[in-house]
Amino acid sequence: MTPRIVVLGGGVAGLSTALLLTRRGFPVTLVERDPEPPADLADLAGWKRPGAPQVRQLHTFLGLFRTRLREHLPDVHADLLAHGAEDISMASPRAGAADGTADEALTVIASRRGTVEWALHRALAREPGAELRYGTSVRRAESEGGRITGVHVRGGLLEADVVIDAGGRRSPLAEDFTEAVGEVDCGVVYNTRFYQLLDGVERPPLHRGVTTMVAGSGFGAGLFYHDNRTFAIGIGRLPEDNALKALRETAAFDQAVAVFPEFAPWLAEGMSRPLDEVVPMAGLKNTFRRLTPETPLGYLPVGDALCTTDPAFGRGASVALAEAVLVADTLQRAPEDLPGLAGALGEFAERWLRPWYEDSVRADLGRTALWEAEIAGADLPGLGAVAGGVNSFVLLEAGEHDQVLWEAAQRHINLLDPADSLERPELKERLDALLAAGWRPRPATGPAYGDVVAAVAG
Ligand SMILES: Cc1cc2nc3c(=O)[nH]c(=O)nc-3n(C[C@H](O)[C@H](O)[C@H](O)COP(=O)(O)OP(=O)(O)OC[C@H]3O[C@@H](n4cnc5c(N)ncnc54)[C@H](O)[C@@H]3O)c2cc1C
């Protein structure tokens, strides 16, 4: 018997899972509390997304996301490129220098998250097996005899044998049906503003592929290039750093970004225009959940409902799509084997996802310690202090002198190698050789902390 499937949530996780399932012959009802995306991409900035405020935050779509998209939803990848998103190779530290031997998987997609959702939605809306209910909230789920039987929406029970919970980090169901194995504050508040280059101006150079990153002293900042000549600038600060708290206000944010030499070519008079106000995002956590023996069969959390990691690493959409593929493949192989489906997701989460969650927690703790020490005025050796040794940020810098280190770091950052892949002895040996030859990680970049504080204060 074909199971009745409800997908809760129309973010990246929900849309991609629903799309893959309908294309494997399963009728799917998707329930999303926010309104439908606009028909015309040009109207994206006016799309209200209170259910997923991170849509207005800077995004990049890593190599794993692009690889899975091209394997399983190639039409969506093509549609994105046709509508202004760009594939950008990270295979070499010299932007655009990738030759025919470059690792193709090391390519990211430059796009706003809203554009990715728009393209996924467009594809899903064309599928005859998909019923899309926008503007509809799931209140709670119903189960009987250890099996899920449906979800409650206004107007009654929506019956289902399988409920895919793609309701994000504030999913209304995850707390009741899963156990939080880990929950650790990311230790950062993001403030982001979107802009668009004006017609006719040439795109200024980016430092690394799709981004210009600033490893500030006591803060971090980045410029991410998106689709259709749009870009976002974000500044991250410690949650308890009251001196930078006013970054949440557009006037103070504008004063702050003006003191970054890295952003000047983008923000100079006649180059770009802001698309909206600054959007702050606080209260972010690394969380890892798991199914328990009490979880009703047929309930499956995916995406942020299952695990969140610090957005600084840009992993969320890749993880969500990997899980969407796993759920669709497993259901297709054995549509009635609900214990097998729960087992497959649980095994994947423990084996592959949990090490990434732990990696994120470790890196966050290292960054918090570094920022606190920098604000306190300690003299630190730059990036090398972040996680006390071999990490992808140090390897990327070293990789500017050693292609093997560059690729190892990029394969790690892009989730193409396992979370522990940087622990290989040969990488340490190559790094040691560079250090012995006098190379050192750069100290912090960008304006001094005091200059940013002064700019924010006006
Ligand atoms: C600041 C920031 C920057 C980020 N940057 C990146 C990045 O660069 N790259 C990357 O890959 N990831 C990034 N992420 C993470 C990424 O956005 C998500 O992890 C990823 O898109 C998966 O999200 P999701 O679909 O699981 O959840 P969400 O995007 O949260 O979607 C959940 C959906 O469920 C809906 N919903 C919730 N409750 C209900 C309900 N009761 N009834 C009906 N609908 C409901 C919501 O409206 C929402 O649309 C970032 C996140 C943040 C916060």
Side-chain angles (χ1 to χ4, degrees), residues 8-15 31-34 49-55 57-62 65 113 117 133 136-139 165-172 190 192 224 281 284 302-320:
L8 187 178
V12 175
L15 289 166
V31 184
E32 164 58 48
R33 48 161 280 179
D34 285 350
R49 282 298 265 127
Q54 69 271 31
V55 169
Q57 295 288 331
L58 64 191
H59 271 67
T60 184
F61 293 86
L62 301 180
F65 181 86
R113 189 187 123 148
E117 289 187 338
R133 295 201 188 182
T136 305
S137 283
V138 168
R139 292 167 178 168
D165 180 359
R169 61 205 174 92
R170 290 189 306 260
S171 152
Y190 293 100
T192 296
F224 282 39
M281 192 124 192
L284 294 164
V302 295
D304 286 4
L306 178 63
C307 174
T308 54
T309 53
D310 186 332
F313 311 112
R315 294 171 180 163
S318 299
V319 170

Side-chain angles (χ1 to χ4, degrees), residues 1 8 20 30 32 34 70 79 105 165 169 205 219 244 274 279-281 292 309 314 319 342 396 406 428:
M1 198 190 71
L8 187 178
L20 287 162
L30 181 135
E32 164 58 48
D34 285 350
R70 277 161 48 96
D79 201 31
D165 180 359
R169 61 205 174 92
F219 64 90
L244 293 183
V279 179
M281 192 124 192
T292 72
T309 53
V319 170
L396 270 191
W406 175 269
K428 175 95 173 59

Side-chain angles (χ1 to χ4, degrees), residues 58 212-216 219-224 233-236 257 260 263 371 447:
L58 64 191
T212 286
M213 298 302 290
V214 178
F219 64 90
L223 186 151
F224 282 39
I233 294 179
I235 305 181
V257 292
F260 284 74
F263 303 150
W371 283 2

Side-chain angles (χ1 to χ4, degrees), residues 123-397:
L124 183 61
R126 282 195 288 263
E127 292 296 329
E131 184 193 343
L132 307 184
R133 295 201 188 182
Y134 281 91
T136 305
S137 283
V138 168
R139 292 167 178 168
R140 60 188 173 84
E142 197 67 53
S143 64
E144 201 182 307
R147 300 177 86 95
I148 206 91
T149 53
V151 294
H152 288 275
V153 294
R154 199 175 44 195
L157 181 72
L158 203 51
E159 291 183 1
D161 308 301
V162 173
V163 171
I164 309 287
D165 180 359
R169 61 205 174 92
R170 290 189 306 260
S171 152
L173 308 185
E175 199 142 307
D176 286 346
F177 289 152
T178 63
E179 174 193 6
V181 184
E183 189 170 272
V184 180
D185 278 346
C186 295
V188 61
V189 175
Y190 293 100
N191 299 278
T192 296
R193 194 170 192 198
F194 278 37
Y195 307 82
Q196 188 165 36
L197 290 172
L198 297 179
D199 287 345
V201 303
E202 201 177 316
R203 182 176 98 186
L206 287 149
H207 171 205
R208 269 186 195 143
V210 74
T211 63
T212 286
M213 298 302 290
V214 178
S217 182
F219 64 90
L223 186 151
F224 282 39
Y225 192 63
H226 288 152
D227 57 284
N228 291 296
R229 293 164 59 78
T230 60
F231 64 96
I233 294 179
I235 305 181
R237 65 164 174 92
L238 288 170
E240 61 279 8
D241 182 356
N242 288 329
L244 293 183
K245 196 171 175 185
L247 282 170
R248 59 185 301 130
E249 287 149 26
T250 301
F253 184 87
D254 284 350
Q255 285 155 204
V257 292
V259 299
F260 284 74
E262 294 85 351
F263 303 150
W266 297 77
L267 300 177
E269 186 72 33
M271 282 303 292
S272 59
R273 65 182 178 103
L275 289 177
D276 53 16
E277 302 292 303
V278 67
V279 179
M281 192 124 192
L284 294 164
K285 290 181 168 39
N286 295 288
T287 54
F288 183 78
R289 299 185 163 276
R290 74 169 159 225
L291 303 177
T292 72
E294 286 74 46
T295 305
L297 282 177
Y299 169 79
L300 287 184
V302 295
D304 286 4
L306 178 63
C307 174
T308 54
T309 53
D310 186 332
F313 311 112
R315 294 171 180 163
S318 299
V319 170
L321 184 54
E323 288 162 358
V325 170
L326 176 99
V327 167
D329 283 354
T330 311
L331 260 174
Q332 187 179 27
R333 268 198 307 274
E336 292 181 35
D337 182 8
L338 298 185
L341 183 59
L345 184 69
E347 191 276 329
F348 169 84
E350 277 298 325
R351 173 181 50 78
W352 186 82
L353 186 54
R354 192 167 181 166
W356 286 113
Y357 161 78
E358 284 162 1
D359 178 83
S360 183
V361 170
R362 231 182 355 259
D364 278 356
L365 294 175
R367 185 192 55 215
T368 296
L370 179 67
W371 283 2
E372 284 173 348
E374 285 170 341
I375 292 172
D379 189 17
L380 291 162
L383 281 175
V386 173
V390 179
N391 65 66
S392 55
F393 298 107
V394 173
L395 289 191
L396 270 191
E397 283 212 8

